[in-house]
Amino acid sequence: MLDIPSRVRVHVETLLAAQNDMGVCDAFEQNEPVGKPDAMNAPHPPKVAGIDSTVPAPAHTVAPASAASDVPRVTTGPGALLQDRLAGWVSDLTTLHELTERLVRTATLADALQELLRAGAALVGARRGLIVLEPGDGLGPRTTVGLGLAQADLGHIETVPRASLPYGELLDTPAGLPGGVAEIVRSDLLAEDGLDPRHREVARRLGFAASYALPLSTETAGRLGAAVWLYDEPAEPVERQRHLVGLYARSATEHLARLLEVERTRASMATMAEELLPSRLPRVAGVQLAARHRTGPRGGGDWYDALPLPDAALGLAVGSVTGSGPSAVAAMGRLRASLRAYAVMEGEDPVAVLSDLELLLRLTEPARSATALFAYCEPAAHKLTLAGAGHCPPLLVGERRTEFVETSVSAPLGMLACWEAPSVEIHAEPGETVLLYTDGLLHRTGDPVDRAFARLHAAASAVPRALRRDPEALADHVLRTVLPDGLDTADSEEDVVLMAARFE
């Protein structure tokens, strides 16, 4: 049995799975002593062309010359050579395992691209690089991210003709063709014959002299993009480094493909939810409107609406459908469309509007419930008549008062055999604003309900006087105060709706 040092962590299943790629079986064919180390046993090249020190170094390094001169030379046999090579392969596999573990812990596409750039740069001994994400199916997203390159630097690189750039050659090669481009090595750009003058000029300006490029492509994931690492001096990765970064890139591409699918799903859900909501708010004399909507990654059922009604009136509505995902978004769209129809026919009676909506929900979607609030607004009279079904009370914000509107306690729609609740009237002074919102605003704070209500009240009370005349600015201030540190834009299971109506 071989005596492999205990400090080398052996991942047996990984080692056996990679033997064919790493050439372990070839080592058993060595019958003669070998006095000169091969490429796998050679000392690490300089920083530009070697593996970066941030990655654990392999255990199979050759002793320095000073140490070798003091120690008598011992002839190595086939067994010692095999042990040394196996230790080196185990060290390389351990490095790949650690880098892959770091990669799979990334939860977003942007984080995964940055991790791929950092790990690849360490493996090939580069300091800078970029990834061009350009999926072959054309569905996007298409983007360019850099490591050690500012946005202006990426802009300079994009001024080079695409055909002259390594990623251009990789991405423009039809995927799946036999003999396709596997890598592009340019070890000395400034001395290369036939290089595009613009490419040479940009390389000189940005201070890179060599590049190594790999496609981000696998048989299952298809072509996703290309990665390019840049060297400050003429250099190129050795065979061992190319093999390691190739294995890592194949694994990383599969992970990127999964995150890309999640990103596309989130974008589709957000687009569908936004399309089901008003593209713009109506302009009605005597009242100014503003609305903010934040949806979770899976899409939710929170919605809002504002529609002109006869006699210069205005209908305002907010609501929330239980559940998340495509079914909740679709149910939200159906509920909102139905409420608009009922509001046009009997909007002056909010209780009748919600009663009809509750009957429709109970007959068409008996397994789903919803909360809703509908207000019949008369801007000329500064008056709102509203009814709520299990919904949060509106908040009235003015110069002399900030208070929640007292509404009767009522059940959500679809919870009782017959819904009924009285309406209430609000008389607003000129310059006062009524805030309508969904409970997602309260839940996203992470506080108990009573504390979340108190936080909302405090945020509305603290709106600066200069912002109170603009409902857009007022809504933004309340959102940022109630949900600080980016919670108003962060991914959350809770949707958020906030609508402001300011009376002139």
Side-chain angles (χ1 to χ4, degrees):
M1 180 178 296
L2 294 177
D3 182 19
I4 298 178
S6 59
R7 64 189 178 86
V8 178
R9 291 184 293 160
V10 181
H11 299 267
V12 177
E13 294 181 359
T14 308
L15 176 60
L16 294 177
Q19 281 180 348
N20 291 334
D21 286 338
M22 303 296 288
V24 173
C25 296
D26 296 338
F28 290 95
E29 299 178 2
Q30 301 288 339
N31 297 317
E32 297 295 332
V34 179
K36 184 179 180 180
D38 57 9
M40 291 296 293
N41 295 318
H44 292 306
K47 175 184 175 183
V48 173
I51 294 183
D52 190 90
S53 58
T54 56
V55 179
H60 59 291
T61 56
V62 177
S66 59
S69 62
D70 298 334
V71 180
R73 183 174 180 179
V74 179
T75 304
T76 58
L81 173 65
L82 177 58
Q83 178 176 339
D84 187 53
R85 296 188 69 181
L86 282 175
W89 287 322
V90 168
S91 178
D92 287 344
L93 289 174
T94 301
T95 298
L96 284 177
H97 174 74
E98 292 175 353
L99 292 177
T100 304
E101 283 291 311
R102 282 163 48 181
L103 178 70
V104 298
R105 285 196 292 267
T106 58
T108 65
L109 187 61
D111 290 343
L113 292 174
Q114 286 295 331
E115 180 60 32
L116 170 56
L117 275 174
R118 285 192 294 265
L123 288 173
V124 302
R127 189 173 62 89
R128 294 179 289 176
L130 69 149
I131 289 178
V132 178
L133 191 66
E134 194 174 296
D137 55 16
L139 299 179
R142 299 177 60 163
T143 185
T144 301
V145 297
L147 173 69
L149 296 170
Q151 199 63 35
D153 299 334
L154 295 176
H156 282 306
I157 293 175
E158 290 176 351
T159 63
V160 179
R162 182 183 173 94
S164 175
L165 292 168
Y167 68 77
E169 185 174 347
L170 291 173
L171 295 178
D172 294 339
T173 301
L177 288 183
V181 181
E183 63 178 4
I184 296 179
V185 182
R186 290 180 173 171
S187 58
D188 193 347
L189 285 169
L190 301 182
E192 182 177 321
D193 294 333
L195 186 68
D196 186 276
R198 181 59 183 166
H199 194 172
R200 182 177 285 105
E201 178 187 347
V202 170
R204 186 179 292 108
R205 176 180 299 181
L206 299 183
F208 63 89
S211 64
Y212 177 70
L214 279 179
L216 301 177
S217 175
T218 63
E219 292 183 2
T220 55
R223 189 198 73 195
L224 299 185
V228 184
W229 289 279
L230 307 174
Y231 297 92
D232 296 342
E233 301 173 5
E236 64 178 87
V238 298
E239 182 179 356
R240 167 175 159 268
Q241 294 172 308
R242 295 182 190 179
H243 187 68
L244 289 175
V245 76
L247 292 175
Y248 178 77
R250 286 199 293 271
S251 175
T253 302
E254 296 290 347
H255 182 61
L256 288 177
R258 292 188 289 271
L259 292 179
L260 182 63
E261 194 62 33
V262 173
E263 193 84 6
R264 287 174 173 175
T265 301
R266 289 182 177 181
S268 298
M269 292 303 302
T271 300
M272 185 168 68
E274 292 298 331
E275 289 297 324
L276 290 174
L277 295 174
S279 58
R280 61 179 181 177
L281 296 174
R283 293 184 177 182
V284 178
V287 66
Q288 295 176 292
L289 299 176
R292 297 293 181 266
H293 179 235
R294 304 288 186 267
T295 185
R298 298 179 56 195
D302 287 17
W303 51 277
Y304 67 93
D305 204 355
L307 67 157
L309 296 176
D311 301 324
L314 180 69
L316 302 176
V318 292
S320 177
V321 176
T322 56
S324 60
S327 62
V329 174
M332 175 266 287
R334 293 191 293 268
L335 205 66
R336 172 177 169 263
S338 301
L339 186 142
R340 290 175 70 92
Y342 298 143
V344 169
M345 292 185 295
E346 48 192 2
E348 66 279 357
D349 186 358
V351 173
V353 171
L354 293 186
S355 296
D356 292 342
L357 194 65
E358 193 274 337
L359 178 61
L360 177 70
L361 185 69
R362 182 154 44 88
L363 293 177
T364 58
E365 300 187 56
R368 195 180 297 277
S369 63
T371 65
L373 185 146
F374 178 75
Y376 180 76
C377 176
E378 301 173 77
H382 293 180
K383 175 183 173 183
L384 283 93
T385 304
L386 60 90
H391 206 79
C392 305
L395 182 60
L396 188 61
V397 182
E399 293 289 341
R400 293 184 245 179
R401 59 175 175 171
T402 299
E403 59 188 27
F404 289 103
V405 177
E406 292 188 8
T407 58
S408 58
V409 178
S410 59
L413 304 177
M415 296 291 289
L416 302 177
C418 181
W419 176 87
E420 184 71 26
S423 61
V424 298
E425 291 187 356
I426 302 175
H427 292 275
E429 299 294 332
E432 291 188 328
T433 301
V434 177
L435 293 180
L436 309 179
Y437 53 95
T438 59
D439 57 4
L441 176 64
L442 307 176
H443 293 162
R444 195 177 279 206
T445 64
D447 293 337
V449 175
D450 56 345
R451 191 172 300 174
F453 273 117
R455 176 183 287 193
L456 175 60
H457 185 277
S461 302
V463 175
R465 180 172 298 181
L467 301 181
R468 293 177 182 265
R469 298 180 180 180
D470 183 1
E472 301 275 354
L474 188 148
D476 288 335
H477 183 275
V478 170
L479 265 185
R480 288 194 302 267
T481 307
V482 176
L483 302 175
D485 303 324
L487 284 176
D488 61 321
T489 57
D491 286 345
S492 171
E493 295 299 322
E494 298 289 345
D495 281 13
V496 173
V497 163
L498 177 64
M499 185 162 61
R502 180 183 183 274
F503 289 88
E504 297 177 344

